[in-house]
Each structure stands twice: as structure tokens, then as C-alpha cells.
Amino acid sequence: MDALLTLPQFSGFLVAAVLVTLAPGPDNLMVLGLGMARGRRAGVAFGLGCAAGCLSHTALAALGISALIAASPLAFTLLKVVGGLYLVWLGWQAIRQARPLGAVAATPAAPEAAGRLFRRGLLANAVNPKVILFFLAFLPQFVDAGRGGAGWQIAQLGLVFTLETALIFGAIGWFAGRLGQWLGRRPRLGAWLDRLAGGIFIALGLRLLATR
């Protein structure tokens, strides 16, 4: 349990995690749409639920990666190859489907309890198999296997990812109205954000494939 993240390890991961969280995706667009439709309270509650769902993926990644490293270096290598290819595929899909950001519908809706919205966001994220695969592919890239405690390092990385996601999603939910107006005046921005996200995924995937 002494393998604490180093400052370069932490800072490098934080920059990548923030870029990934800001990139257009189902979760942050759902937070934005819900905040616009039902107000900042609903957007923040749902966004924090989505962020909390990352903890379950962190636990799976930490336990699974540790077991693979201990039991079979070959299996760990295979997982890295599959994860790298998956990230490259995600990047290609984001670039291929890049499109202007359409307006998010904001229709009046009945108030809903914040706790219920939080649970909805938590469940939506926790049961998403694509997010599970993403965590298995993304977190190990920032583990320094030579320092030992790979599972503990992944747990720390996952906690950092959860906290920064909570801050960003909470901010998106809080400022949903203004964000929606700003993006609505810049429809082409969505396509460039898609391409940026695609480039990030491809670069991370190639890095994972090249790592020995």
C-alpha cells in the first residue's frame, strides 16, 4: 500500500482525465440536457451520480488488473492489446461521426427528487459495459508496474478520475443553461470537439499498444 502516485504520474493522468471527461459523450451531454430541461439542481444531482458510478469501475479495474498481473503476464498483455485496439476504435468512431452539435431539447418537466436523479446517474454509468472496458484500457496506462502495488495505484487513479468528473459534471449541470446558449451559437464546435476526442482516444490506444 506504499505505492502512492508520483507527482508526474498524477499530473499526467489528471490532464488526460480532464480532457477525456470534457470530450463530448453520452454522460456529459445527458447532464447538460437534463440541467437545461429541469434546472441546475437536477443536472448537478444526475452528474454527481454519473461520477460516483466510476467508483464501481475503479474497483473492477483494480481487482481485475491485480489478479491478471499476479496470475498471468500473458493475460495482462492480451488485455492491454484488446484495450488499445478498443481505444483506437473509439477514436475512429468519434472522428468518423463528427458532426455539429445540435441544440439540446429543453422541454418543461415535473420536478424529480435529487436522490432519485443521483441514483439514475449512478446506475446509468455503473452498468455501462463500454465504461467498464474503457477503465480497463485507460487506467493501466498510468500505472508504474516497477513500483509495485498496481491495484493500489489503479484505485488512486480511479479516485482521481471520479473526483475530477464530479467537479466537471457538477459544473456542467450547474451552468447548463448558459452552456446550452453558448454551444447553440457555435454549432460547428461540436464536430471539432468530436475530432479532438477521437485523436485523444487513438493516441492513448496506440500508446497502450506500444507499451511493453
Side-chain angles (χ1 to χ4, degrees):
M1 299 287 287
D2 59 344
L4 295 176
L5 299 178
T6 64
L7 181 58
Q9 194 179 14
F10 169 81
S11 57
F13 174 77
L14 182 60
V15 170
V18 168
L19 288 174
V20 167
T21 304
L22 287 173
D27 284 347
N28 48 23
L29 290 181
M30 283 193 295
V31 174
L32 176 62
L34 192 62
M36 291 177 63
R38 302 189 183 185
R40 58 178 54 171
R41 181 170 173 269
V44 170
F46 186 83
L48 293 179
C50 288
C54 295
L55 293 175
S56 65
H57 303 307
T58 298
L60 287 174
L63 294 174
I65 298 299
S66 297
L68 280 175
I69 291 176
S72 173
L74 178 61
F76 182 61
T77 300
L78 179 61
L79 176 63
K80 289 175 63 177
V81 170
V82 173
L85 292 175
Y86 176 68
L87 288 175
V88 171
W89 181 82
L90 281 181
W92 169 245
Q93 291 297 311
I95 292 173
R96 187 173 66 87
Q97 298 174 8
R99 60 195 181 281
L101 189 65
V104 181
T107 55
E112 191 170 358
R116 184 175 180 181
L117 287 166
F118 178 88
R119 291 192 295 272
R120 281 178 52 193
L122 175 67
L123 185 62
N125 185 285
V127 302
N128 189 338
K130 290 186 177 180
V131 181
I132 296 174
L133 289 174
F134 176 77
F135 265 63
L136 289 174
F138 184 65
L139 297 185
Q141 297 183 67
F142 298 89
V143 170
D144 185 353
R147 298 177 60 233
W152 173 231
Q153 290 185 58
I154 287 178
Q156 295 173 77
L157 293 170
L159 181 59
V160 171
F161 192 95
T162 300
L163 292 176
E164 63 85 17
T165 300
L167 290 174
I168 291 175
F169 280 10
I172 290 175
W174 183 263
F175 296 105
R178 290 189 177 182
L179 280 172
Q181 294 174 3
W182 186 79
L183 291 172
R185 294 194 297 268
R186 298 165 175 81
R188 294 185 179 181
L189 179 62
W192 286 105
L193 289 175
D194 280 339
R195 295 185 183 105
L196 175 62
I200 292 170
F201 287 139
I202 290 175
L204 290 173
L206 293 177
R207 174 184 171 182
L208 186 57
L209 290 171
T211 302
R212 298 296 180 183

